Amino acid sequence: MKEIGKTLKDKREQMNLSLSDVHKATKVQEKYLAAIEEGDLDAFKDEVFYKSFLRSYSKYLGFDPEEFVELFNSQKREIERSPKSEEVSFCAVEKNIFNTKKIFIVVVAIIAVALLIIFVCLYRNMSKIAQAVESDNFKQIECESLPKEKIEDDATVMEQDEPYSEEKIPNAEASTRQNLEIEAKETVWIKVDIDGKAVYEGTLLKGGKKMWEVNNSFTLKLGYAPGVKVFFNGESVDVVSGAVQDVNTIILKKK
């Protein structure tokens, strides 16, 4: 459109006419005449006004007004088909795609952070649970490396060639014998020595009981002291005091 405006302006100046002179002759306001010469279509409310004023201005300067209108239409079509317009459209599409990618990346990042936080919380909770279980089980694992799964029938019972028992203590008067009774409140590993000789070593199941008699003394080792009740000559024995990690060794002697 600037080419059209330049042609009209050059012609007007050759004719020593001012915009005021053209306005007086055509009745077109000077601001619109100036806009035509500058190729400023935005100054017109509609394209039809531009064409109408263009006809009046070009006809006054001695041109064929329809040729200028056709030239305007031709240039307009070229602008609409120009690569620049397509490039602008492509850039707009590309910008929208880029913005969409940015939004997608942000969303993925937020989800990743949320999953990481959830994983850390779960890991900490699992660690606390594992520590609690390990701490609770530790009370019962100090059993000379013997597995808790062993049942009483599989327990290793160490009998001597001449085991100390009620029936096999020769010439022992009942009034001088020492009695040992163990009741299991929990499944627990125990070892019983009589005069330094092992007579029992194994796992006593919860609710189980064991009794021995001897003329002198017992040495009792408990894998989990709070899990048993011990009676010596009918009297309850404190087996928890002095325990280390709930493991205790107690010597019960003849009074």
Side-chain angles (χ1 to χ4, degrees):
M1 300 359 174
K2 289 185 177 182
E3 292 81 357
I4 295 176
K6 186 176 183 304
T7 301
L8 295 175
K9 183 178 181 180
D10 291 344
K11 180 65 174 178
R12 175 177 64 78
E13 291 177 347
Q14 289 177 5
M15 296 174 65
N16 294 320
L17 296 174
S18 64
L19 291 178
S20 178
D21 296 332
V22 178
H23 161 63
K24 292 176 181 179
T26 62
K27 307 303 179 183
V28 177
Q29 296 183 21
E30 293 185 23
K31 64 177 182 179
Y32 293 123
L33 295 174
I36 292 174
E37 291 183 351
E38 293 172 1
D40 182 13
L41 296 180
D42 294 334
F44 303 90
K45 295 181 180 180
D46 194 277
E47 183 179 307
V48 66
F49 292 102
Y50 171 82
K51 291 180 179 180
S52 176
F53 296 156
L54 177 62
R55 286 190 177 93
S56 298
Y57 189 11
S58 58
K59 181 177 180 181
Y60 174 73
L61 296 179
F63 293 109
D64 183 352
E66 296 306 321
E67 289 184 359
F68 277 85
V69 172
E70 181 58 30
L71 180 59
F72 165 76
N73 292 332
S74 177
Q75 290 181 356
K76 180 182 176 182
R77 287 191 295 268
E78 289 181 3
I79 292 174
E80 291 175 351
R81 293 195 304 264
S82 66
K84 183 176 293 186
S85 299
E86 296 178 359
E87 181 179 352
V88 171
S89 299
F90 176 78
C91 289
V93 173
E94 186 178 33
K95 184 177 181 180
N96 290 335
I97 294 174
F98 178 73
N99 290 335
T100 302
K101 287 183 177 179
K102 286 177 63 178
I103 295 173
F104 176 76
I105 292 172
V106 171
V107 171
V108 171
I110 293 173
I111 294 174
V113 171
L115 291 176
L116 179 61
I117 293 173
I118 294 173
F119 174 78
V120 171
C121 292
L122 289 176
Y123 177 78
R124 289 180 177 176
N125 290 337
M126 291 300 294
S127 298
K128 291 180 180 179
I129 293 173
Q131 290 175 2
V133 172
E134 182 179 359
S135 175
D136 184 64
N137 290 339
F138 185 75
K139 297 178 181 179
Q140 302 183 29
I141 65 174
E142 187 66 33
C143 300
E144 295 294 322
S145 301
L146 292 176
K148 287 179 61 179
E149 293 80 6
K150 284 189 175 182
I151 60 174
E152 186 176 3
D153 293 338
D154 295 332
T156 304
V157 179
M158 302 176 62
E159 299 289 347
Q160 306 300 318
D161 292 338
E162 293 184 3
Y164 289 78
S165 66
E166 184 178 0
E167 295 80 6
K168 293 187 179 181
I169 301 178
N171 301 323
E173 296 182 0
S175 60
T176 62
R177 292 178 182 176
Q178 313 303 308
N179 300 308
L180 176 65
E181 181 180 353
I182 300 177
E183 297 181 7
K185 297 186 294 182
E186 302 289 342
T187 299
V188 62
W189 176 88
I190 63 173
K191 181 180 180 182
V192 180
D193 292 352
I194 297 178
D195 294 337
K197 296 180 180 180
V199 295
Y200 181 85
E201 181 179 354
T203 303
L204 187 59
L205 297 178
K206 181 178 181 180
K209 293 183 180 181
K210 287 287 184 180
M211 298 179 65
W212 294 271
E213 286 189 354
V214 70
N215 198 40
N216 294 310
S217 65
F218 294 96
T219 300
L220 178 62
K221 188 169 185 178
L222 305 173
Y224 181 48
V228 296
K229 292 182 179 180
V230 177
F231 300 91
F232 183 59
N233 294 333
E235 296 182 1
S236 177
V237 179
D238 180 9
V239 296
V240 177
S241 298
V244 179
Q245 296 290 343
D246 293 328
V247 177
N248 206 357
T249 300
I250 301 168
I251 299 176
L252 303 173
K253 293 183 178 182
K254 178 181 178 181
K255 295 182 180 180

